[in-house]
């Protein structure tokens, strides 16, 4: 029904400084100075406290690939470490990053991470072009396991052939070699996409509204 394309991840780079002063007061001073406290852990090494430039990280966080790529973290001595972004803490109402967590990457060990799905050609699909239907993106990212060198930046799913009433399960998507889906609970073949008519969508919305009022 659909074709899939895999865009391989290339390393994105950012700068870090080893942080020797810890604690809430020290973190507050860093933030006032336009810096972000962070931590790097994993690969059987001790956690490393770091500080980052807020503007650099803030703009990188706006890029989707920063969340799903192997990152190269550079220090002042030009040494670097390969890491994955694992967690970001934001200020509750300001556009301010408060803390960032990274995990070290071992080139010879599988990593578990989430990769976004990009859906293309919906507008020329029979469901939309011929029937003015609606494409539901039920799942927009996949939790996968693979070697770092095989990590795709995203997976494109071509929906040019989908028609009304059809669905796409994960089993219909050919994942690239070396990529394994991390199934959660008993859902080993999750629904990825469905194509419905406007009437069906309206009926679903009406049922949802009725359930909310019960």
């Amino acid at each position: 029904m659909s074709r899939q394309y895999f865009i391989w991840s290339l390393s994105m780079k950012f700068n870090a400084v080893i942080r020797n002063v810890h604690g809430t007061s020290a973190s507050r001073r860093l933030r006032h100075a336009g810096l972000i406290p962070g931590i790097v852990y994993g690969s059987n090494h001790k956690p490393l406290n770091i500080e980052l430039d807020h503007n650099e990280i803030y703009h990188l966080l706006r890029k989707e690939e920063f969340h799903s790529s192997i990152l190269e973290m550079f220090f002042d001595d030009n040494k670097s470490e390969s890491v994955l972004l694992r967690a970001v803490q934001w200020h509750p109402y300001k556009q301010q990053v408060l803390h960032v967590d990274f995990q070290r990457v071992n080139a010879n060990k599988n990593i578990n991470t989430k990769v976004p799905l990009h859906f293309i050609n919906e507008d020329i699909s029979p469901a939309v072009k011929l029937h003015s239907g609606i494409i539901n993106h039920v799942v927009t990212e996949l939790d996968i396991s693979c070697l770092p060198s095989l990590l795709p930046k995203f997976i494109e799913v071509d929906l040019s052939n989908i028609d009304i009433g059809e669905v796409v399960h994960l089993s219909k998507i050919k994942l690239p070699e070396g990529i394994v889906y991390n199934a959660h609970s008993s859902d080993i073949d999750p629904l990825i996409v469905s194509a419905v008519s406007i009437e069906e969508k309206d009926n679903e919305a009406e049922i949802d509204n009725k359930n909310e009022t019960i």
Side-chain angles (χ1 to χ4, degrees):
M1 176 185 297
S2 60
R3 298 190 302 274
Q4 287 76 43
Y5 303 91
F6 319 106
I7 308 300
W8 301 109
S9 176
L10 299 176
S11 293
M12 297 185 70
K13 302 175 181 179
F14 67 98
N15 299 301
V17 176
I18 295 176
R19 177 164 54 100
N20 296 314
V21 181
H22 312 149
T24 302
S25 297
S27 294
R28 189 181 300 114
R29 287 194 296 271
L30 280 177
R31 297 183 186 111
H32 283 313
L35 302 171
I36 308 169
I39 192 169
V40 186
Y41 59 86
S43 290
N44 298 319
H45 292 290
K46 290 182 179 180
L48 178 67
N49 292 292
I50 58 173
E51 58 186 64
L52 310 156
D53 179 79
H54 184 275
N55 287 340
E56 180 184 20
I57 297 301
Y58 175 82
H59 290 292
L60 286 172
L61 285 169
R62 297 169 67 89
K63 299 179 179 180
E64 181 186 67
E65 57 265 34
F66 193 72
H67 297 259
S68 58
S69 300
I70 303 299
L71 311 172
E72 284 298 317
M73 181 175 61
F74 282 87
F75 297 98
D76 288 341
D77 56 5
N78 288 326
K79 291 182 179 179
S80 67
E81 284 199 66
S82 297
V83 297
L84 274 174
L85 176 66
R86 282 309 192 192
V88 181
Q89 180 184 354
W90 291 86
H91 191 281
Y93 56 87
K94 295 180 181 178
Q95 290 295 305
Q96 181 183 11
V97 185
L98 299 180
H99 195 276
V100 187
D101 292 7
F102 297 97
Q103 181 183 359
R104 295 184 182 92
V105 171
N106 186 326
N108 300 313
K109 291 186 178 181
N110 278 9
I111 55 175
N112 297 304
T113 190
K114 292 181 179 180
V115 173
L117 297 176
H118 286 190
F119 302 99
I120 62 172
N121 294 330
E122 294 179 18
D123 55 333
I124 63 173
S125 69
V128 175
K129 190 171 183 179
L130 299 181
H131 306 292
S132 299
I134 296 173
I135 307 295
N136 293 320
H137 301 160
V138 182
V139 172
T140 58
E141 59 184 12
L142 290 180
D143 191 345
I144 65 165
S145 177
C146 67
L147 288 173
S149 60
L150 299 178
L151 178 64
K153 185 162 58 177
F154 59 83
I155 297 175
E156 277 190 354
V157 181
D158 187 349
L159 298 175
S160 58
N161 295 319
I162 195 170
D163 206 344
I164 291 294
E166 294 182 338
V167 298
V168 177
H169 283 267
L170 178 62
S171 57
K172 296 295 184 181
I173 298 177
K174 179 176 170 48
L175 297 178
E177 186 175 354
I179 305 296
V180 177
Y181 170 66
N182 292 326
H184 296 280
S185 65
S186 60
D187 193 5
I188 61 174
D189 190 22
L191 176 64
I192 305 297
V193 171
S194 66
V196 299
S197 65
I198 294 179
E199 291 79 11
E200 288 178 296
K201 191 70 174 178
D202 290 342
N203 289 337
E204 291 176 3
E206 185 177 346
I207 292 172
D208 290 340
N209 290 335
K210 287 182 178 178
N211 289 337
E212 289 178 359
T213 57
I214 294 176

